[in-house]
Amino acid sequence: METLEQIQTKVDKIVTDKQKKVAKVQEKLNSTLVTITRAEKQLAQAKDTIDADTYVKAKLTLEKAKTEKQLYSDILEDLERKPLLPYDEYKKIVDSIYAAADNAHDDLCEQAEDVLPQLKELHDKAGNVNKATFDLLRTLKSEVGNDGYKKDSDGYTVVDGWELKYSYGIVNHGSWRPYTMYARYEEVASTLKSPKRVKK
């Protein structure tokens, strides 16, 4: 079975080949536009000087260049508008991508089996710490402190970051949802640096 990296290489080649072809055709188109401009000037000059030979040659050159311009313009339009592969080939690549992704996830799940029990244990311990912290803060505020402790000297209510974070699961979801240790470090620690002030 192909890996995602191998499929990526194949798809990149298809896209690169298209880009190269577009660049090649665009270069030819640009050259043709220069030829058209030059031929139109030659026609005007030949007409002024009544130079039939030059006029005929310029006319033929102009007609040929205009035909080439149409050709290159059509090719560029097809390259931008039409699919690069028949549907069957396209669908086959899509299926191979899904298969490769499923296979990669299966491999990762097998590797994770050895560490999942340890992660679950840490998750549960983190939940216990969060629960104990919330209960302790609640007891401290209700039994030890008083309402005066909830406001600063300017009369603003100080929202304790620890209580907010550790009570989040209970207050907002009706059931305990412990934060991960990473979330506790990233979110709770940053909150503790600057307690929120809520206008009374």
Side-chain angles (χ1 to χ4, degrees), residues 19-181:
Q19 293 171 340
K20 289 180 179 179
K21 190 171 183 179
V22 168
K24 181 178 180 180
V25 177
Q26 185 64 57
E27 183 179 358
K28 289 181 177 292
L29 177 59
N30 293 341
S31 177
T32 300
L33 294 175
V34 172
T35 300
I36 289 174
T37 301
R38 185 187 308 118
E40 288 175 338
K41 289 181 179 179
Q42 290 174 346
L43 275 176
Q45 292 172 355
K47 190 174 182 180
D48 289 341
T49 59
I50 316 177
D51 186 344
D53 289 339
T54 300
Y55 186 89
V56 170
K57 289 180 181 179
K59 185 70 172 178
L60 292 173
T61 299
L62 181 59
E63 291 176 355
K64 179 176 180 292
K66 286 183 176 180
T67 302
E68 291 175 350
K69 174 189 174 183
Q70 187 62 52
L71 170 65
Y72 299 141
S73 298
D74 290 345
I75 293 174
L76 287 175
E77 183 179 351
D78 288 344
L79 287 171
E80 294 300 327
R81 181 173 55 86
K82 293 183 178 180
L84 301 180
L85 295 174
Y87 179 75
D88 289 345
E89 292 183 33
Y90 174 85
K91 184 63 166 56
K92 186 181 295 185
I93 293 178
V94 171
D95 291 341
S96 67
I97 291 174
Y98 284 134
D102 288 342
N103 187 60
H105 281 299
D106 288 343
D107 289 343
L108 291 172
C109 286
E110 290 180 5
Q111 296 176 39
E113 286 181 357
D114 293 337
V115 297
L116 282 177
Q118 182 180 0
L119 291 176
K120 178 64 169 60
E121 181 181 355
L122 293 174
H123 179 272
D124 293 342
K125 288 182 178 179
N128 292 335
V129 171
N130 291 352
K131 182 69 164 58
T133 303
F134 171 75
D135 290 342
L136 183 56
L137 284 169
R138 184 172 54 185
T139 300
L140 183 68
K141 284 198 169 186
S142 62
E143 302 297 335
V144 179
N146 57 36
D147 290 341
Y149 285 12
K150 296 181 180 180
K151 296 182 180 180
D152 61 17
S153 58
D154 296 324
Y156 285 92
T157 299
V158 177
V159 180
D160 193 324
W162 281 94
E163 183 177 14
L164 274 183
K165 291 300 179 180
Y166 286 98
S167 65
Y168 183 82
I170 295 176
V171 173
N172 291 281
H173 299 280
S175 61
W176 180 247
R177 292 196 341 183
Y179 272 64
T180 63
M181 290 184 174

Side-chain angles (χ1 to χ4, degrees), residues 182-200:
Y182 178 78
R184 184 177 75 86
Y185 174 79
E186 290 292 322
E187 299 178 13
V188 178
S190 62
T191 302
L192 288 176
K193 293 179 183 178
S194 178
K196 297 179 181 179
R197 306 174 75 203
V198 181
K199 186 71 176 179
K200 61 180 180 179

